[in-house]
Amino acid sequence: MTSNHSRLTDRNNDAEERIDWEKAQRGVRLLQGVVGQDADSTGLTETWQRRVPETFATLTEGDCISSKPTMRTFDATSDDIVVKTGIPVYSLCEHHLLPFFGTIHLAYRPNGQVVGLSKLTRYVRWQSRRLTMQEQLTTDIASGLAEELDAAMVLVELNATHLCEAMRGIETKSMTTTRATIGEPTEEEREQFQTAVVRGEGER
């Protein structure tokens, strides 16, 4: 088997160090054989040589610390909570290597500093690009934002559909909701968050 590693030399150093390209190619090639496909047939050689290894390198960038967005902050003008709803999220189930996807709603109470709104979306994307479970991802985003922003309170809600349920098993598309809380939100903050979530869901 000829390695296609030379075609991937433009990848960042972290990806090169954590992804064994030759092993990834062998693995995909073996999997193609397991399901009765000829890995050397027209249309399938690029699958094991390039497409799947590159895809998994992208979909696991959350394991690369260099891919984490810089959470630049600015002075806050108030201590009111910041709420952002409807952030798209795509991740991989660590049990079946199939995607789960949906939306994340989050809120945090600034501790004198706020972060650019686009950074929240970038941070969610970075955290989600790894093999994980929905429950763990929800917790990781909440605790990670609390640390990154030095926020005293963070609320996160993740609503997702799992293809391991929709495409196999019970073969039913459904929604799973997980929540994580860091700190002690007030009742008013909880109400503000839920109102924003409901409003955001209604606008989609």
Side-chain angles (χ1 to χ4, degrees):
M1 178 170 52
T2 302
S3 170
N4 199 42
H5 185 271
S6 61
R7 298 178 61 183
L8 304 171
T9 54
D10 59 341
R11 294 202 164 274
N12 65 60
N13 290 334
D14 279 354
E16 288 286 347
E17 291 175 1
R18 70 184 181 82
I19 298 292
D20 186 326
W21 297 103
E22 291 187 10
K23 186 180 291 185
Q25 291 170 335
R26 289 198 304 271
V28 177
R29 185 182 173 90
L30 285 171
L31 185 59
Q32 288 174 307
V34 166
V35 297
Q37 300 296 311
D38 179 3
D40 292 321
S41 64
T42 302
L44 291 183
T45 54
E46 284 286 287
T47 299
W48 66 264
Q49 287 182 345
R50 178 182 59 83
R51 294 189 186 105
V52 175
E54 284 186 341
T55 295
F56 271 86
T58 297
L59 298 183
T60 58
E61 284 180 346
D63 292 323
C64 274
I65 193 64
S66 65
S67 297
K68 183 172 73 68
T70 301
M71 304 296 280
R72 182 184 177 189
T73 57
F74 308 89
D75 291 338
T77 57
S78 75
D79 58 359
D80 291 338
I81 64 170
V82 176
V83 183
K84 190 165 182 63
T85 63
I87 301 174
V89 61
Y90 301 89
S91 194
L92 287 175
C93 167
E94 65 181 18
H95 296 150
H96 302 99
L97 303 186
L98 287 173
F100 63 92
F101 60 93
T103 54
I104 277 185
H105 313 294
L106 60 85
Y108 71 95
R109 185 195 305 146
N111 186 18
Q113 297 284 309
V114 293
V115 70
L117 296 178
S118 66
K119 297 297 186 182
L120 295 173
T121 299
R122 294 179 185 276
Y123 186 80
V124 166
R125 181 176 61 188
W126 174 73
Q127 280 278 17
S128 65
R129 287 188 170 179
R130 63 190 71 198
L131 301 180
T132 186
M133 297 188 300
Q134 179 175 339
E135 298 88 341
Q136 185 62 53
L137 177 58
T138 309
T139 299
D140 287 344
I141 291 172
S143 60
L145 284 175
E147 180 178 353
E148 290 285 340
L149 306 179
D150 191 27
M153 187 282 298
V154 177
L155 290 167
V156 174
E157 177 179 308
L158 169 55
N159 302 304
T161 296
H162 293 246
L163 291 189
C164 56
E165 286 188 317
M167 295 181 67
R168 57 165 297 284
I170 60 173
E171 296 188 14
T172 299
K173 180 181 178 180
S174 61
M175 187 73 68
T176 299
T177 298
T178 49
R179 298 185 179 92
T181 304
I182 303 295
E184 297 293 336
T186 65
E187 285 302 314
E188 181 180 4
E189 288 172 335
R190 288 186 183 276
E191 290 177 4
Q192 288 178 329
F193 179 59
Q194 288 304 317
T195 297
V197 169
V198 170
R199 183 171 59 247
E201 293 285 352
E203 292 175 351
R204 288 208 305 277

